[in-house]
Structure formats: C-alpha cells, structure tokens
Amino acid sequence: MARIVLVMHRPLGAAFAACAEHVLGQKADLTIFDVAPDAEPAVLIDDLSQRLMQDTHEATLVLCDIFGATPFNIAKQALKRATEQGLTAHLITGTNLCMVLKALTDQQENPDKLSESVRQGALRGIVNADQAC
C-alpha cells in the first residue's frame, strides 16, 4: 500500500484529514505536513526529506494544495532528495477532498496507477451542479 502525505498551507492538511475521518468513519492513514506562514523552507525541506526517507520501501503519493506555492516547493525539493536515495514517489497538486478520499480508498501498490486514479478522482469530483440537476 502507498503512503499518502499531505504537504499544504496550515491548517489545510489537518482539515482534510479530519474531513476524511468524518466521511470514512475511521482515522485517516495520512502523514500531515502543514506549512506555517512564517516557516523557514530550508528547515522544512530537511524535515520532510527525513520523514520521507523513514521508509524508502513504501511508495509515496504526495498531495499539495497549490502548484508553485511554498508547500509545493518544499515537497518538490524534499522528494528530489528522497528519490535520489531510492524512494518511489509521485507529487500531485491542486488537491481537493475528492482526491484525498480517492487516495485513501484506492491505495495501490503501483504508485503510477494510484497517482492517475487520484488525479481522475479529482476531475470526476468537479461537477457543475446547475447542469447535473
């Protein structure tokens, strides 16, 4: 099963975890790495890299909120370090609750398939309700 890591602006990762627990009725198996507004990116890159390297045998899916924002840049640099040391990982941005739920309910050994499944889940979750009703 793949490890799921949320790297987001604080408190979004923790909020997604709480929502997932509410919807699924059980504690969400997520690693939360919320980034504070005054955080020092270099320190957080080191911290996240160490967390990711705790288990290089487990494929990892990292979900971020906004492409190009500080949490994304921290995740990208930490993943670069970790993949250089053997971690298999994917990074997806634009995370919404549908993606988090899809990742939790569709955890697969194959990180490529999981990454695409989560991306597709996000797209399916975007519905123009005016047209659907």
Side-chain angles (χ1 to χ4, degrees), residues 73-97:
N73 292 324
I74 290 167
K76 186 176 175 184
Q77 290 300 315
L79 279 172
K80 182 177 186 277
R81 290 183 190 178
T83 56
E84 287 172 351
Q85 296 182 36
L87 179 70
T88 300
H90 289 277
L91 173 62
I92 302 177
T93 67
T95 300
N96 61 33
L97 185 57

Side-chain angles (χ1 to χ4, degrees), residues 93-121:
T93 67
T95 300
N96 61 33
L97 185 57
C98 290
M99 293 171 71
V100 174
L101 294 172
K102 184 68 171 169
L104 289 167
T105 59
D106 195 25
Q107 288 182 327
Q108 302 175 21
E109 293 295 327
N110 184 319
D112 297 324
K113 288 182 181 178
L114 176 61
S115 179
E116 182 57 19
S117 173
V118 168
R119 193 184 71 77
Q120 288 295 323

Side-chain angles (χ1 to χ4, degrees), residues 114-133:
L114 176 61
S115 179
E116 182 57 19
S117 173
V118 168
R119 193 184 71 77
Q120 288 295 323
L123 297 175
R124 284 189 300 275
I126 300 170
V127 176
N128 182 339
D130 290 337
Q131 294 177 358
C133 296

